[in-house]
mmCIF file of all heavy atoms in Angstrom:
data_model
loop_
_atom_site.group_PDB
_atom_site.id
_atom_site.type_symbol
_atom_site.label_atom_id
_atom_site.label_comp_id
_atom_site.label_asym_id
_atom_site.label_seq_id
_atom_site.Cartn_x
_atom_site.Cartn_y
_atom_site.Cartn_z
ATOM 1 N N HIS A 217 -59.527 49.103 -27.922
ATOM 2 C CA HIS A 217 -60.892 48.822 -27.489
ATOM 3 C C HIS A 217 -61.396 49.877 -26.505
ATOM 4 O O HIS A 217 -62.594 50.207 -26.505
ATOM 5 C CB HIS A 217 -60.967 47.416 -26.881
ATOM 6 C CG HIS A 217 -60.932 46.320 -27.897
ATOM 7 N ND1 HIS A 217 -59.773 45.920 -28.523
ATOM 8 C CD2 HIS A 217 -61.926 45.553 -28.428
ATOM 9 C CE1 HIS A 217 -60.047 44.941 -29.377
ATOM 10 N NE2 HIS A 217 -61.340 44.713 -29.340
ATOM 11 N N ARG A 218 -60.507 50.429 -25.681
ATOM 12 C CA ARG A 218 -60.902 51.548 -24.817
ATOM 13 C C ARG A 218 -61.338 52.741 -25.676
ATOM 14 O O ARG A 218 -62.348 53.387 -25.406
ATOM 15 C CB ARG A 218 -59.725 51.954 -23.913
ATOM 16 C CG ARG A 218 -59.482 51.039 -22.733
ATOM 17 C CD ARG A 218 -58.138 51.303 -22.092
ATOM 18 N NE ARG A 218 -58.014 52.624 -21.511
ATOM 19 C CZ ARG A 218 -58.074 52.883 -20.205
ATOM 20 N NH1 ARG A 218 -58.281 51.890 -19.339
ATOM 21 N NH2 ARG A 218 -57.924 54.105 -19.738
ATOM 22 N N GLN A 219 -60.573 53.016 -26.720
ATOM 23 C CA GLN A 219 -60.900 54.145 -27.585
ATOM 24 C C GLN A 219 -62.211 53.911 -28.334
ATOM 25 O O GLN A 219 -63.021 54.836 -28.478
ATOM 26 C CB GLN A 219 -59.757 54.379 -28.575
ATOM 27 C CG GLN A 219 -58.498 54.923 -27.923
ATOM 28 C CD GLN A 219 -57.363 55.087 -28.915
ATOM 29 O OE1 GLN A 219 -57.257 54.337 -29.888
ATOM 30 N NE2 GLN A 219 -56.500 56.051 -28.668
ATOM 31 N N ALA A 220 -62.415 52.694 -28.814
ATOM 32 C CA ALA A 220 -63.652 52.409 -29.553
ATOM 33 C C ALA A 220 -64.874 52.721 -28.700
ATOM 34 O O ALA A 220 -65.878 53.260 -29.197
ATOM 35 C CB ALA A 220 -63.672 50.947 -29.991
ATOM 36 N N PHE A 221 -64.808 52.412 -27.403
ATOM 37 C CA PHE A 221 -65.940 52.716 -26.531
ATOM 38 C C PHE A 221 -65.981 54.205 -26.172
ATOM 39 O O PHE A 221 -67.041 54.829 -26.191
ATOM 40 C CB PHE A 221 -65.879 51.880 -25.253
ATOM 41 C CG PHE A 221 -66.957 52.236 -24.265
ATOM 42 C CD1 PHE A 221 -68.294 52.167 -24.640
ATOM 43 C CD2 PHE A 221 -66.642 52.651 -22.985
ATOM 44 C CE1 PHE A 221 -69.300 52.510 -23.743
ATOM 45 C CE2 PHE A 221 -67.640 52.990 -22.082
ATOM 46 C CZ PHE A 221 -68.973 52.921 -22.467
ATOM 47 N N ALA A 222 -64.823 54.789 -25.869
ATOM 48 C CA ALA A 222 -64.793 56.207 -25.475
ATOM 49 C C ALA A 222 -65.214 57.128 -26.609
ATOM 50 O O ALA A 222 -65.650 58.253 -26.357
ATOM 51 C CB ALA A 222 -63.387 56.578 -24.990
ATOM 52 N N TRP A 223 -65.084 56.667 -27.850
ATOM 53 C CA TRP A 223 -65.487 57.469 -29.007
ATOM 54 C C TRP A 223 -66.890 57.113 -29.496
ATOM 55 O O TRP A 223 -67.295 57.526 -30.594
ATOM 56 C CB TRP A 223 -64.490 57.272 -30.148
ATOM 57 C CG TRP A 223 -63.097 57.748 -29.838
ATOM 58 C CD1 TRP A 223 -62.737 58.660 -28.896
ATOM 59 C CD2 TRP A 223 -61.882 57.331 -30.479
ATOM 60 N NE1 TRP A 223 -61.369 58.843 -28.905
ATOM 61 C CE2 TRP A 223 -60.816 58.035 -29.868
ATOM 62 C CE3 TRP A 223 -61.570 56.434 -31.500
ATOM 63 C CZ2 TRP A 223 -59.481 57.874 -30.241
ATOM 64 C CZ3 TRP A 223 -60.247 56.265 -31.885
ATOM 65 C CH2 TRP A 223 -59.214 56.981 -31.259
ATOM 66 N N VAL A 224 -67.640 56.344 -28.713
ATOM 67 C CA VAL A 224 -68.922 55.815 -29.174
ATOM 68 C C VAL A 224 -69.887 56.923 -29.610
ATOM 69 O O VAL A 224 -70.634 56.763 -30.588
ATOM 70 C CB VAL A 224 -69.570 54.928 -28.089
ATOM 71 C CG1 VAL A 224 -69.882 55.722 -26.819
ATOM 72 C CG2 VAL A 224 -70.837 54.254 -28.616
ATOM 73 N N ASP A 225 -69.865 58.071 -28.931
ATOM 74 C CA ASP A 225 -70.786 59.143 -29.313
ATOM 75 C C ASP A 225 -70.440 59.753 -30.663
ATOM 76 O O ASP A 225 -71.285 60.398 -31.294
ATOM 77 C CB ASP A 225 -70.805 60.239 -28.241
ATOM 78 C CG ASP A 225 -71.524 59.787 -26.971
ATOM 79 O OD1 ASP A 225 -72.235 58.763 -27.027
ATOM 80 O OD2 ASP A 225 -71.354 60.445 -25.929
ATOM 81 N N GLU A 226 -69.204 59.546 -31.121
ATOM 82 C CA GLU A 226 -68.785 60.061 -32.427
ATOM 83 C C GLU A 226 -69.276 59.169 -33.564
ATOM 84 O O GLU A 226 -69.506 59.654 -34.677
ATOM 85 C CB GLU A 226 -67.257 60.190 -32.476
ATOM 86 C CG GLU A 226 -66.677 61.131 -31.434
ATOM 87 C CD GLU A 226 -65.155 61.117 -31.421
ATOM 88 O OE1 GLU A 226 -64.546 60.807 -32.478
ATOM 89 O OE2 GLU A 226 -64.563 61.393 -30.358
ATOM 90 N N TRP A 227 -69.398 57.860 -33.306
ATOM 91 C CA TRP A 227 -69.744 56.940 -34.390
ATOM 92 C C TRP A 227 -71.115 56.274 -34.243
ATOM 93 O O TRP A 227 -71.600 55.628 -35.180
ATOM 94 C CB TRP A 227 -68.684 55.850 -34.537
ATOM 95 C CG TRP A 227 -68.422 54.987 -33.317
ATOM 96 C CD1 TRP A 227 -67.382 55.097 -32.451
ATOM 97 C CD2 TRP A 227 -69.206 53.869 -32.848
ATOM 98 N NE1 TRP A 227 -67.463 54.127 -31.465
ATOM 99 C CE2 TRP A 227 -68.571 53.362 -31.682
ATOM 100 C CE3 TRP A 227 -70.370 53.253 -33.287
ATOM 101 C CZ2 TRP A 227 -69.062 52.277 -30.968
ATOM 102 C CZ3 TRP A 227 -70.874 52.170 -32.571
ATOM 103 C CH2 TRP A 227 -70.214 51.689 -31.429
ATOM 104 N N TYR A 228 -71.778 56.460 -33.106
ATOM 105 C CA TYR A 228 -72.967 55.657 -32.804
ATOM 106 C C TYR A 228 -74.093 55.847 -33.821
ATOM 107 O O TYR A 228 -74.828 54.905 -34.136
ATOM 108 C CB TYR A 228 -73.475 55.976 -31.394
ATOM 109 C CG TYR A 228 -74.523 54.999 -30.899
ATOM 110 C CD1 TYR A 228 -74.155 53.709 -30.508
ATOM 111 C CD2 TYR A 228 -75.866 55.357 -30.847
ATOM 112 C CE1 TYR A 228 -75.098 52.806 -30.064
ATOM 113 C CE2 TYR A 228 -76.827 54.453 -30.401
ATOM 114 C CZ TYR A 228 -76.429 53.180 -30.008
ATOM 115 O OH TYR A 228 -77.376 52.279 -29.570
ATOM 116 N N ASP A 229 -74.244 57.042 -34.355
ATOM 117 C CA ASP A 229 -75.339 57.316 -35.303
ATOM 118 C C ASP A 229 -74.924 57.109 -36.766
ATOM 119 O O ASP A 229 -75.714 57.371 -37.675
ATOM 120 C CB ASP A 229 -75.845 58.748 -35.128
ATOM 121 C CG ASP A 229 -76.516 58.959 -33.781
ATOM 122 O OD1 ASP A 229 -77.127 58.000 -33.280
ATOM 123 O OD2 ASP A 229 -76.416 60.067 -33.226
ATOM 124 N N MET A 230 -73.710 56.645 -36.991
ATOM 125 C CA MET A 230 -73.236 56.452 -38.360
ATOM 126 C C MET A 230 -73.853 55.208 -39.003
ATOM 127 O O MET A 230 -74.112 54.200 -38.333
ATOM 128 C CB MET A 230 -71.712 56.298 -38.380
ATOM 129 C CG MET A 230 -70.933 57.585 -38.228
ATOM 130 S SD MET A 230 -69.149 57.269 -38.442
ATOM 131 C CE MET A 230 -68.538 58.953 -38.559
ATOM 132 N N THR A 231 -74.064 55.278 -40.306
ATOM 133 C CA THR A 231 -74.408 54.100 -41.095
ATOM 134 C C THR A 231 -73.115 53.510 -41.643
ATOM 135 O O THR A 231 -72.034 54.107 -41.523
ATOM 136 C CB THR A 231 -75.325 54.477 -42.264
ATOM 137 O OG1 THR A 231 -74.582 55.341 -43.160
ATOM 138 C CG2 THR A 231 -76.574 55.206 -41.784
#
Side-chain angles (χ1 to χ4, degrees):
H217 285 77
R218 283 166 64 104
Q219 290 177 329
F221 175 57
W223 297 338
V224 62
D225 288 345
E226 300 174 26
W227 58 258
Y228 192 74
D229 294 328
M230 283 186 169
T231 65

